[in-house]
Amino acid sequence: MFSWTADSPAITGSETSVATIDDGGTMWSRQQNAVSVRHAFKSYGTKKKPNQVLSNLNMTVAKGTIYGLLGASGCGKTTLLSCIVGRKRLNSGEIWVLGGKPGTKGSGVPGARVGYMPQEIALYGEFSIRETMMYFGWIFGMHTTEIVERLQFLLNFLDLPSESRLVKNLSGGQQRRVSFAVALMHDPELLILDEPTVGVDPLLRQSIWNHLVHITKAGQKTVIITTHYIEEARQAHTIGLMRSGRLLAEESPACLLSMYRCSSLEDVFLKLSRKQGQANVAPAELNISNNISLSALAFGNKKDNPVYVSQESGVVGLNFHQSKEVLISDSNGSTIAINGLNGSAPGVISETVDCDNCTECSGCSNFTSKGKIKALLVKNFLRMWRNVGVMLFIFALPVMQVILFCLAIGRDPTNLKMAIVNGEMNTTIGADCVFDPGCSFTSLSCRYLSHLNSTIVKEYYTDLDSALDAVREGNAWGALYFTDNFTDALVARIALGRDADDETLDQSEIRVWLDMSNQQIGIMLNRDLQVAYREFAQQLLRVCDNNPKLGDVPIQFKSPIYGTNDPSFTDFVAPGVILTIVFFLAVALTSSALIIERTEGLLDRSWVAGVT
């Protein structure tokens, strides 16, 4: 015969019974619990050398309760909380928060359903207390009047100084109280507090705990709190003792003290830590997944009370997970657990429902809102306005860079060396290139070279190979070559016209080799060489009483619609330089702001609040 026993830890029988607990996999249990973590694994580092932070961790936080998460620094508490609020993802396992998975559409997490206080102060030092509350209140979607009313309550409750005081001018304890006030501002469904009472006066610490107990009484608010003050966690409904990425136990403080026959929670934690170490050393002993052995659970000689063990978590405790299971007890004292009022016996697979598309809170997580945009604009303005040095840097640096560019770099390039080989000159390097400035058709190569502008420095070479080597070695920007009979060939070309043969045409040409690795300088030299030839031809025709237009290209350029006929190098390069300066300055400022906010915890806090 089987007898039904509802929510009762006491089952008669001479043998110790092990009851399976609701694993949180059904839709009903997910909705009943505020937080449900199953088989959580999280590691950092490489695959070859991973740093395991969470190892098969299971955790259940019932709605309307205070859950105290206790553990030494580095045991994984902060990482676990970051995964719960959706800031980090597990390598494997799943997390359900307020009936949905963090980060999914409509879950409201991250967002206004969660109030989060990180370990860091995570506040903008340039803001006053009032401005801090306004910023986060707008992000949470609150109206200004609601924020003002809530601010007055928090100022009195947390004994905060004047609302006009800047955060950076407050003491460390006052800053932590302001950080706590931000988490309480919008009265969230789930309140996650990471070390909220560090550096707080004992009387105020007790007042904070009284407030947490008060807001959870109605069953609508849930609190997860971590603390270094282990004994103050006795006021929590449930305590999770965490070590090396695992929960050693999850139970009410009174039950833990009774089960382990200790006078303090610190002694309970020490005893569980030792048993975990013994279980790790002796693998032959039957272990549960979190390394607490079944034989280690024999407290005293009592064997008439059942021990409740989760099949998944291995976390030890009476009434584990606070599930609504119904136990079936037979005449032999063995126990079968049925999940929920209409649950199934072991061996029957219960139906699970995926809640990725839950619509219970479909309006809790909008992509953006007017309040968020307003908060971010005000934040950026205040941070810039109250950092005069940064503001001057933003506006003055581009101006100074452009001025220095125009003075030092932006002018037209000068002293551009050209390697010249003139066969009509004396082969001795440095000999003067003399010509008759009148109507004389002698030494026309020298007459042409005289029309080169002052930006070109003429360097003469005896042979073409030496000139080309100078260009290849970077000693010159180009090479010019005049044949031995350049003048005679040019005169014959003009006289013969269409009857000139190919050799005459070839000998009358000026041959140019340019270094086009710098395109702007190469194009400018190309232009200057052609302009010099046009001026040379027009001047020769003029002194010989001919129309100088005969020496010009039959294309007439009028005044340009925009710009000038002789644009400067500065006009060409300055826009690109200005855009480059503005772009990299914006990138540098944005990157530095993100790095600073991430280092101080501000970025994570804003994202958890709902900033996208």
Side-chain angles (χ1 to χ4, degrees):
M1 295 292 293
F2 290 98
S3 60
W4 292 85
T5 307
D7 293 331
S8 174
I11 302 174
T12 60
S14 59
E15 297 293 328
T16 300
S17 303
V18 177
T20 59
I21 306 301
D22 175 24
D23 63 359
T26 64
M27 175 59 69
W28 182 87
S29 62
R30 290 171 183 169
Q31 293 177 343
Q32 291 303 307
N33 295 321
V35 177
S36 179
V37 182
R38 292 292 174 268
H39 301 299
F41 286 88
K42 178 66 177 177
S43 62
Y44 298 103
T46 62
K47 292 183 178 180
K48 293 183 178 179
K49 295 182 179 180
N51 179 20
Q52 199 73 32
V53 180
L54 301 178
S55 180
N56 197 25
L57 184 140
N58 295 272
M59 172 184 177
T60 301
V61 181
K63 287 185 178 180
T65 62
I66 301 176
Y67 188 101
L69 186 60
L70 306 181
S73 297
C75 70
K77 299 191 302 296
T78 300
T79 298
L80 176 60
L81 296 183
S82 297
C83 293
I84 290 175
V85 298
R87 285 300 305 124
K88 294 179 181 178
R89 292 191 176 184
L90 299 173
N91 297 117
S92 63
E94 64 176 5
I95 295 178
W96 293 84
V97 180
L98 301 176
K101 291 184 178 180
T104 57
K105 184 177 180 180
S107 66
V109 182
R113 300 183 75 187
V114 177
Y116 177 56
M117 177 184 175
Q119 274 188 341
E120 305 88 355
I121 299 299
L123 297 174
Y124 294 100
E126 302 86 355
F127 286 13
S128 66
I129 296 177
R130 179 185 178 88
E131 290 163 348
T132 299
M133 298 303 175
M134 287 292 181
Y135 169 71
F136 284 101
W138 286 331
I139 289 178
F140 291 135
M142 301 173 65
H143 296 291
T144 303
T145 54
E146 296 175 334
I147 299 173
V148 173
E149 293 176 2
R150 188 69 174 167
L151 173 60
Q152 295 305 316
F153 163 74
L154 293 172
L155 288 174
N156 297 327
F157 167 60
L158 295 174
D159 192 23
L160 294 174
S162 171
E163 63 182 38
S164 61
R165 289 275 300 275
L166 295 181
V167 172
K168 64 182 179 182
N169 295 331
L170 301 177
S171 65
Q174 290 174 330
Q175 289 178 345
R176 290 201 66 82
R177 277 181 273 161
V178 174
S179 180
F180 182 41
V182 169
L184 294 174
M185 167 60 67
H186 58 301
D187 196 23
E189 297 178 51
L190 176 61
L191 192 59
I192 298 179
L193 309 174
D194 201 352
E195 307 286 355
T197 57
V198 173
V200 176
D201 179 80
L203 293 177
L204 182 57
R205 186 187 308 160
Q206 185 58 48
S207 177
I208 290 173
W209 273 98
N210 292 340
H211 179 71
L212 296 180
V213 172
H214 173 72
I215 63 176
T216 56
K217 274 186 177 180
Q220 301 300 320
K221 310 295 181 184
T222 306
V223 178
I224 300 177
I225 182 171
T226 68
T227 177
H228 280 163
Y229 305 106
I230 295 181
E231 290 306 313
E232 77 172 358
R234 288 194 182 194
Q235 301 173 81
H237 299 95
T238 307
I239 288 180
L241 299 179
M242 190 171 180
R243 183 171 182 264
S244 301
R246 301 179 180 184
L247 278 182
L248 303 181
E250 186 179 60
E251 189 50 79
S252 66
C255 286
L256 286 175
L257 294 174
S258 175
M259 290 166 60
Y260 291 92
R261 297 182 178 182
C262 295
S263 59
S264 67
L265 291 174
E266 190 170 355
D267 293 337
V268 174
F269 195 10
L270 181 60
K271 183 176 290 188
L272 281 171
S273 299
R274 288 173 177 171
K275 289 180 179 179
Q276 184 194 31
Q278 294 171 1
N280 287 331
V281 172
E285 190 177 21
L286 178 59
N287 291 338
I288 309 174
S289 61
N290 275 345
N291 293 334
I292 300 297
S293 63
L294 288 177
S295 62
L297 302 179
F299 313 114
N301 297 321
K302 292 185 178 181
K303 295 186 178 181
D304 54 344
N305 292 329
V307 178
Y308 287 74
V309 181
S310 168
Q311 289 179 333
E312 289 188 342
S313 67
V315 178
V316 180
L318 298 176
N319 195 22
F320 176 51
H321 292 173
Q322 302 183 9
S323 63
K324 303 297 183 181
E325 66 179 357
V326 177
L327 301 180
I328 303 176
S329 178
D330 63 8
S331 58
N332 295 325
S334 61
T335 305
I336 300 174
I338 296 182
N339 298 329
L341 295 177
N342 298 316
S344 58
V348 179
I349 300 175
S350 59
E351 181 182 0
T352 61
V353 181
D354 194 356
C355 196
D356 286 349
N357 296 320
C358 292
T359 57
E360 181 180 344
C361 189
S362 58
C364 295
S365 179
N366 296 324
F367 179 75
T368 188
S369 64
K370 292 182 179 179
K372 293 177 183 178
I373 295 175
K374 180 180 180 181
L376 294 175
L377 290 176
V378 171
K379 178 202 75 172
N380 292 330
F381 173 77
L382 288 177
R383 295 199 75 185
M384 184 175 65
W385 183 256
R386 291 177 180 166
N387 286 278
V388 179
V390 175
M391 186 170 63
L392 291 176
F393 177 81
I394 292 173
F395 290 102
L397 182 63
V399 176
M400 293 177 59
Q401 287 179 315
V402 172
I403 292 174
L404 292 175
F405 165 78
C406 293
L407 293 176
I409 303 174
R411 298 185 179 184
D412 290 337
T414 58
N415 298 325
L416 302 177
K417 296 180 180 179
M418 290 293 294
I420 300 173
V421 179
N422 191 348
E424 294 187 323
M425 289 177 55
N426 190 320
T427 56
T428 304
I429 297 177
D432 293 334
C433 190
V434 181
F435 65 94
D436 185 357
C439 185
S440 173
F441 289 87
T442 59
S443 300
L444 294 182
S445 59
C446 292
R447 183 188 286 266
Y448 167 77
L449 291 174
S450 67
H451 287 277
L452 294 178
N453 60 34
S454 59
T455 62
I456 298 177
V457 177
K458 297 182 282 288
E459 292 191 350
Y460 294 94
Y461 289 81
T462 57
D463 58 89
L464 181 59
D465 291 336
S466 299
L468 294 177
D469 288 340
V471 178
R472 294 189 185 100
E473 295 171 1
N475 296 324
W477 286 101
L480 270 70
Y481 176 69
F482 298 90
T483 59
D484 296 344
N485 58 342
F486 171 77
T487 299
D488 295 338
L490 183 59
V491 172
R493 177 175 183 162
I494 296 172
L496 295 175
R498 59 185 296 179
D499 296 329
D501 56 17
D502 291 339
E503 183 179 359
T504 300
L505 296 176
D506 182 66
Q507 294 294 315
S508 63
E509 290 178 347
I510 304 173
R511 302 171 190 179
V512 182
W513 292 265
L514 291 177
D515 178 4
M516 294 299 293
S517 60
N518 188 318
Q519 186 181 30
Q520 180 59 29
I521 291 179
I523 292 174
M524 192 181 72
L525 287 174
N526 189 321
R527 180 200 64 188
D528 291 345
L529 292 174
Q530 294 189 51
V531 170
Y533 186 85
R534 184 179 62 188
E535 293 176 352
F536 152 75
Q538 290 178 341
Q539 193 267 346
L540 181 60
L541 291 170
R542 185 180 297 107
V543 297
C544 292
D545 297 328
N546 292 307
N547 191 339
K549 287 188 176 182
L550 294 174
D552 199 357
V553 178
I555 299 176
Q556 187 177 16
F557 288 93
K558 299 294 185 180
S559 298
I561 297 175
Y562 297 109
T564 63
N565 282 322
D566 188 20
S568 66
F569 187 71
T570 302
D571 297 337
F572 177 79
V573 178
V577 172
I578 293 173
L579 289 176
T580 302
I581 292 172
V582 171
F583 172 76
F584 282 106
L585 182 63
V587 171
L589 291 174
T590 303
S591 301
S592 61
L594 289 175
I595 292 172
I596 292 173
E597 291 194 8
R598 187 176 184 87
T599 303
E600 296 178 353
L602 290 164
L603 195 60
D604 282 351
R605 186 164 203 168
S606 296
W607 279 342
V608 172
V611 175
T612 53

